[in-house]
């Protein structure tokens, strides 16, 4: 990955202009999805189609095979985390999100996902920490700001 480009995109996420932030967000997702070239991108697409068809077992098998082949492919771990979350398997989703962040510490999607998992598990302090980490990368992400407030309210 081009570290200079990544740094510029991360700076753009902090720009007050919505359009600049949106372009930077889309560009980062594109980089992450294309980390392993056409092969990885195609498998991610197939898994998404299976997920949308509610064929969760097949989607999980596909992603697990991809992770086995490409264990450093952060987005494969992230897509499997999404799958687990949608099935209510919050501990498994959280574990995959944590692996994403180990591989790609700036992955705001996985940090957000960790917060969602912690919140679903009733671990509101950890959820707040995860949402705050995501906000350090994407300070204008209103969803994370709102979720911090909701989790804070549940602490009282």
């Amino acid at each position: 990955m081009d570290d200079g480009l990544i740094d510029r995109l991360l700076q753009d996420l902090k720009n007050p202009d919505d359009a600049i932030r949106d372009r930077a967000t889309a560009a980062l997702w594109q980089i992450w999805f294309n980390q392993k070239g056409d092969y990885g991108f195609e498998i991610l697409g197939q898994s998404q189609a299976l997920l949308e068809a509610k064929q969760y077992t097949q989607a999980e098998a596909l992603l697990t095979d991809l992770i086995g082949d490409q264990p450093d492919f952060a987005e494969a771990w992230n897509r499997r985390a999404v799958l687990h979350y949608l099935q209510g398997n919050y501990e498994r989703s959280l574990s995959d999100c944590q692996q994403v962040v180990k591989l790609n510490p700036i992955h705001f999607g996985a940090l957000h996902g960790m917060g969602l998992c912690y919140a679903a598990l009733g671990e509101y302090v950890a959820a707040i920490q995860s949402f705050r980490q995501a906000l350090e990368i994407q300070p204008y992400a209103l969803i994370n700001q709102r979720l911090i407030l909701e989790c804070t309210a549940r602490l009282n």
Side-chain angles (χ1 to χ4, degrees):
M1 284 189 255
D2 180 348
D3 290 340
L5 173 61
I6 300 290
D7 290 343
R8 287 190 300 279
L9 292 171
L10 290 172
Q11 281 307 115
D12 285 350
L13 293 177
K14 295 171 173 54
N15 193 301
D17 185 319
D18 287 352
I20 291 171
R21 289 194 316 271
D22 290 347
R23 280 193 299 272
T25 299
L28 284 166
W29 281 112
Q30 182 177 16
I31 289 167
W32 296 340
F33 270 80
N34 287 289
Q35 177 191 352
K36 296 295 181 179
D38 291 341
Y39 166 75
F41 186 79
E42 182 179 321
I43 300 296
L44 292 179
Q46 290 173 10
S47 72
Q48 183 63 31
L50 289 167
L51 186 141
E52 290 171 4
K54 298 189 182 342
Q55 295 179 359
Y56 300 129
T57 303
Q58 296 93 322
E60 182 177 357
L62 196 60
L63 290 167
T64 298
D65 287 347
L66 180 57
I67 289 166
D69 290 343
Q70 305 287 332
D72 63 336
F73 190 6
E75 198 53 41
W77 290 93
N78 190 57
R79 299 317 305 159
R80 193 173 73 176
V82 169
L83 174 67
H84 290 318
Y85 182 84
L86 292 174
Q87 293 179 289
N89 297 325
Y90 305 122
E91 292 91 354
R92 292 176 73 191
S93 180
L94 180 59
S95 177
D96 281 354
C97 285
Q98 289 167 336
Q99 184 62 34
V100 175
V101 174
K102 282 181 192 169
L103 294 168
N104 183 0
I106 61 163
H107 200 298
F108 48 80
L111 291 166
H112 173 79
M114 286 172 60
L116 292 175
C117 290
Y118 281 127
L121 294 167
E123 297 179 33
Y124 300 114
V125 172
I128 291 166
Q129 291 171 340
S130 294
F131 293 134
R132 283 185 178 151
Q133 284 181 287
L135 275 175
E136 288 175 21
I137 299 164
Q138 275 188 315
Y140 289 92
L142 296 178
I143 184 69
N144 290 322
Q145 294 173 19
R146 182 178 58 78
L147 289 167
I148 287 170
L149 292 174
E150 288 179 15
C151 288
T152 302
R154 291 181 187 266
L155 290 174
N156 299 329

